[in-house]
Amino acid sequence: MKNTFKIFLTAIVFFFAANNCFALHTAKIEKIIKTSKLDSSSTIAVSIKNVSDGRTVFEYNQNKLLHPASVLKIFTLFPAVETLGYDYFFKTGFYKDSQNNLYIKLGADPLLTSTQLKQAFSELKSKGCTSFNNLYIDDSVLDKKEFAPGWMWDDDINPYTPKVSAYNIDCNLLNINLTENNDNTMKSYVKSGYPVSVITAVNSGGNNDVLDIVRYNWQNPEIIEIYGSLSKSKQIQVPFSSVRRYFIYIVSKALEDNRINIKGTLYSSKLTPDNSELITEIANPITTALPLVLQNSNNLAAETIFKLASNKKYAITGSNDVSLIILKDFYNNNDVKTDDIIIKDGSGVSRNNLLYADWITTALNKLYKHKDFEQFKDNMAQPGDGTLSSRLHDLRGEAWLKTGSLSNISAIAGYIKSQDGHVYSIAILTQNFTEPQKDVKSFEDEIIKLIYNR
């Protein structure tokens, strides 16, 4: 009886000691928030939960709807990959029908390169396919909406937000090399040879790199103007004004280089007949794209995978609208309600997206217990990876996180295994701030380190 009482007493002591430690850490987190300049002028929301029992560890403005930025990628990618499968391949197929017509069946492959495309035409030639009646492009895999709702008009020139298309190729980015002249100015060179005019008024030799890149689509989308100064030669990237136009340019060059003759129609859109013969195929695994999304926050890959989910599930032209239905069904079926949040795209770029911190940690806890979570987690960023390359190095192997950044918006969410052996889901959302992004990231890191040191 005495032993039983001792065990009971010891359990009570440990319980209160753990809760005192728990309270001490939550008080420290609250102090970090309250003493931050951000709290007085910006909106901060924090939610921390224990993943094993769902118990809330700390919360602050947890029900305020805020912009998640690229943190959203966790929640759009998971159901999309569940639909596509971890064994999914992006495929670009080359088919011949009974009338000797060539079809390029697009797979909206975000990993496709012009080198791969040119190699495919070399394979056609090696198989004796050097003349066709017509060349058609089957672009039915995705719809024609290249930007999602809520994307900003000036994202058109932003290399982090290239247009999303069935014709995805070379990351949908034009590489422009800026090299030094002898007169302290820069000249431009487009390596691919794509016929675009680049007006360059850039000085060289200064201490600061300041560039202003302009494209007036309503005048001529194939004229790019570059102004400013560079300290040394540099390669810059500009999204294609028309992904389809660039894709066709690469195909035209490949046809010419391999002396493949097309007698009649070129590049008209047309569905590939069911009885067509597959001649060759480019296939890239989705597993290569997953770390691009979760670690490097690649928007093109995120949006493409998200839209392809509806193409795969319903054998229709992939679209944002139908993929959003798949997403909502997934979370509602896993007891995570979606009627009080707003999701408009697959990447977090849309300014219309709204989540709240408590929803994020609730969803993270559900994902953590999903049968495929470990495979998904293996692709998430740890400190030292991607957007976490310069952050939280002491927590490598103990944290799996997704960052998010837009103008005046910062977010981070994911999982932390603390020193007490528990795993916690966390969400920190901050927006409407004027401080430098690096200061907000430091604020996030301070809270994360406290969770780890519990």
Side-chain angles (χ1 to χ4, degrees), residues 104-337:
I104 304 176
K105 187 173 184 178
L106 303 180
D109 183 355
L111 305 174
L112 181 67
T113 67
S114 54
T115 299
Q116 289 180 313
L117 194 59
K118 291 173 183 177
Q119 180 60 38
F121 279 96
S122 295
E123 291 182 24
L124 290 182
K125 181 181 179 181
S126 69
K127 293 180 178 181
C129 300
T130 57
S131 181
F132 297 93
N133 289 328
N134 303 294
L135 192 163
Y136 300 110
I137 299 181
D138 183 346
D139 57 5
S140 61
V141 64
L142 292 186
D143 64 15
K144 302 298 191 294
K145 296 179 181 179
E146 296 177 316
F147 272 12
W151 282 35
M152 306 297 284
W153 70 269
D154 52 353
D155 283 334
D156 171 76
I157 207 72
N158 186 339
Y160 296 108
T161 53
K163 296 176 179 177
V164 181
S165 172
Y167 293 85
N168 289 341
I169 184 171
D170 288 343
C171 302
N172 295 355
L173 295 170
L174 186 69
N175 293 320
I176 302 174
N177 294 321
L178 296 172
T179 58
E180 296 178 70
N181 285 318
N182 295 325
D183 58 355
N184 293 325
T185 63
M186 290 281 185
K187 59 184 176 182
S188 60
Y189 170 66
V190 179
K191 185 176 181 180
S192 66
Y194 180 67
V196 61
S197 297
V198 182
I199 299 172
T200 308
V202 179
N203 296 322
S204 64
N207 294 324
N208 297 318
D209 290 356
V210 180
L211 288 180
D212 183 23
I213 305 170
V214 182
R215 178 168 60 198
Y216 300 106
N217 289 314
W218 55 91
Q219 294 179 358
N220 189 331
E222 299 301 353
I223 297 177
I224 298 169
E225 301 176 22
I226 307 173
Y227 304 96
S229 62
L230 287 175
S231 57
K232 58 182 179 181
S233 297
K234 183 178 183 178
Q235 183 181 85
I236 63 170
Q237 294 182 312
V238 177
F240 302 136
S241 62
S242 169
V243 182
R244 183 178 187 274
R245 192 179 300 132
Y246 179 87
F247 185 95
I248 288 174
Y249 168 78
I250 297 299
V251 171
S252 299
K253 292 290 291 181
L255 289 170
E256 181 182 339
D257 292 344
N258 290 282
R259 297 182 181 179
I260 297 174
N261 180 46
I262 306 297
K263 299 175 184 177
T265 304
L266 278 167
Y267 314 128
S268 290
S269 296
K270 192 174 182 181
L271 293 176
T272 307
D274 292 337
N275 61 351
S276 298
E277 172 194 356
L278 177 64
I279 308 171
T280 189
E281 185 177 67
I282 304 167
N284 289 311
I286 194 172
T287 49
T288 302
L290 298 185
L292 292 179
V293 177
L294 293 173
Q295 296 178 23
N296 299 321
S297 211
N298 186 291
N299 292 315
L300 175 63
E303 291 291 346
T304 302
I305 293 170
F306 185 63
K307 294 178 78 169
L308 282 172
S310 51
N311 169 259
K312 170 73 181 294
K313 186 174 180 68
Y314 298 112
I316 59 172
T317 294
S319 71
N320 243 26
D321 291 343
V322 179
S323 288
L324 284 170
I325 295 171
I326 295 172
L327 177 146
K328 290 181 178 180
D329 286 346
F330 174 84
Y331 286 106
N332 289 329
N333 290 338
N334 282 278
D335 298 321
V336 182
K337 61 181 181 178

Side-chain angles (χ1 to χ4, degrees), residues 37-38 410 433-443:
K37 290 189 297 183
L38 293 166
S410 183
F433 56 83
T434 57
E435 289 79 3
Q437 279 272 359
K438 63 180 180 63
D439 292 348
V440 184
K441 301 301 184 187
S442 296
F443 165 78

Side-chain angles (χ1 to χ4, degrees), residues 8-179:
F8 175 72
L9 186 61
T10 301
I12 291 176
V13 170
F14 274 112
F15 173 81
F16 281 105
N19 277 273
N20 284 337
C21 179
F22 174 88
L24 179 64
H25 275 75
T26 55
K28 287 181 178 179
I29 293 172
E30 187 166 8
K31 183 178 179 181
I32 290 172
I33 296 171
K34 293 293 187 182
T35 58
S36 168
K37 290 189 297 183
L38 293 166
D39 191 49
S40 60
S41 59
S42 310
T43 303
I44 300 169
V46 180
S47 178
I48 305 168
K49 288 186 174 74
N50 189 309
V51 298
S52 61
D53 57 15
R55 181 168 51 92
T56 297
V57 174
F58 180 83
E59 57 188 18
Y60 184 79
N61 287 335
Q62 71 279 1
N63 293 318
K64 284 188 177 294
L65 284 166
L66 298 174
H67 199 297
S70 285
V71 158
L72 182 67
K73 288 181 173 71
I74 297 174
F75 308 107
T76 56
L77 188 66
F78 199 103
V81 178
E82 282 298 300
T83 302
L84 295 169
Y86 285 88
D87 58 351
Y88 181 85
F89 279 78
F90 309 105
K91 294 179 179 180
T92 305
F94 294 76
Y95 293 82
K96 183 175 71 171
D97 70 7
S98 58
Q99 305 299 314
N100 194 37
N101 296 314
L102 176 64
Y103 293 80
I104 304 176
K105 187 173 184 178
L106 303 180
D109 183 355
L111 305 174
L112 181 67
T113 67
S114 54
T115 299
Q116 289 180 313
L117 194 59
K118 291 173 183 177
Q119 180 60 38
F121 279 96
S122 295
E123 291 182 24
L124 290 182
K125 181 181 179 181
S126 69
K127 293 180 178 181
C129 300
T130 57
S131 181
F132 297 93
N133 289 328
N134 303 294
L135 192 163
Y136 300 110
I137 299 181
D138 183 346
D139 57 5
S140 61
V141 64
L142 292 186
D143 64 15
K144 302 298 191 294
K145 296 179 181 179
E146 296 177 316
F147 272 12
W151 282 35
M152 306 297 284
W153 70 269
D154 52 353
D155 283 334
D156 171 76
I157 207 72
N158 186 339
Y160 296 108
T161 53
K163 296 176 179 177
V164 181
S165 172
Y167 293 85
N168 289 341
I169 184 171
D170 288 343
C171 302
N172 295 355
L173 295 170
L174 186 69
N175 293 320
I176 302 174
N177 294 321
L178 296 172
T179 58

